[in-house]
Amino acid sequence: MDICDINMDKIAKPDLSHLFVPERTWTHWSPESSRQEWNSDPILGDLHIISIGIWAATNKHIVNRADIGENILTYCAKGKGWFRYANRTVEIKPGMVFLVHKGWPHGYGADKDDPWTVYWTHFDGIKSKPLIDLVET
């Protein structure tokens, strides 16, 4: 399955309008020391959020990585952007979700003229796979 060809009809669509703050970008990162403890914890090791945030309407949001040690789930609420993986670039529009698997080289960024607002989370744990499978079905 193509990573951006997600059947959104199978995923509940929450009303996020109350969260939309177009002039603000917000981020929370868990400390590296906590992440290492969580991976070996019998409960938290199953699935945990490493970071979560909002990138709001800025055309300066561009990321290029050779690798990352966690999974990333991103939802585009407004505007446009792009996502690159496996030598392919896909335009991202409102309502689309993209998923970066742990270890994947990738890049993404906001459109220069109509920059996106995206909600994103980095996550990990042994139960990441069922969540990934749910998003990809």
Side-chain angles (χ1 to χ4, degrees):
M1 158 170 260
D2 232 357
I3 204 157
C4 289
D5 294 337
I6 295 169
N7 184 347
M8 293 301 291
D9 294 333
K10 292 185 179 181
I11 299 174
K13 295 177 186 146
D15 178 10
L16 300 176
S17 60
H18 64 288
L19 297 175
F20 180 64
V21 184
E23 69 278 359
R24 247 179 89 196
T25 296
W26 175 86
T27 305
H28 173 75
W29 290 87
S30 302
E32 181 65 33
S33 58
S34 295
R35 293 184 232 164
Q36 291 170 358
E37 289 176 31
W38 295 341
N39 281 331
S40 61
D41 185 276
I43 296 172
L44 295 176
D46 285 352
L47 182 64
H48 54 271
I49 292 175
I50 294 168
S51 58
I52 191 166
I54 302 166
W55 273 100
T58 174
N59 60 8
K60 297 181 185 346
H61 185 216
I62 298 173
V63 173
N64 287 293
R65 293 188 184 103
D67 188 2
I68 190 163
E70 59 247 11
N71 304 290
I72 307 170
L73 182 65
T74 303
Y75 169 76
C76 180
K78 184 177 179 182
K80 294 186 291 189
W82 53 271
F83 173 55
R84 188 188 69 252
Y85 71 101
N87 298 318
R88 182 173 169 215
T89 301
V90 177
E91 181 180 17
I92 304 296
K93 299 175 185 173
M96 292 180 78
V97 171
F98 65 91
L99 177 68
V100 176
H101 289 257
K102 185 177 188 172
W104 276 17
H106 64 280
Y108 50 85
D111 184 80
K112 291 178 186 173
D113 298 320
D114 185 14
W116 62 17
T117 293
V118 291
Y119 297 86
W120 55 269
T121 185
H122 291 226
F123 63 97
D124 200 10
I126 59 174
K127 291 199 176 165
S128 294
K129 175 115 174 68
L131 177 60
I132 292 167
D133 291 345
L134 175 67
V135 171
E136 291 184 335
T137 57

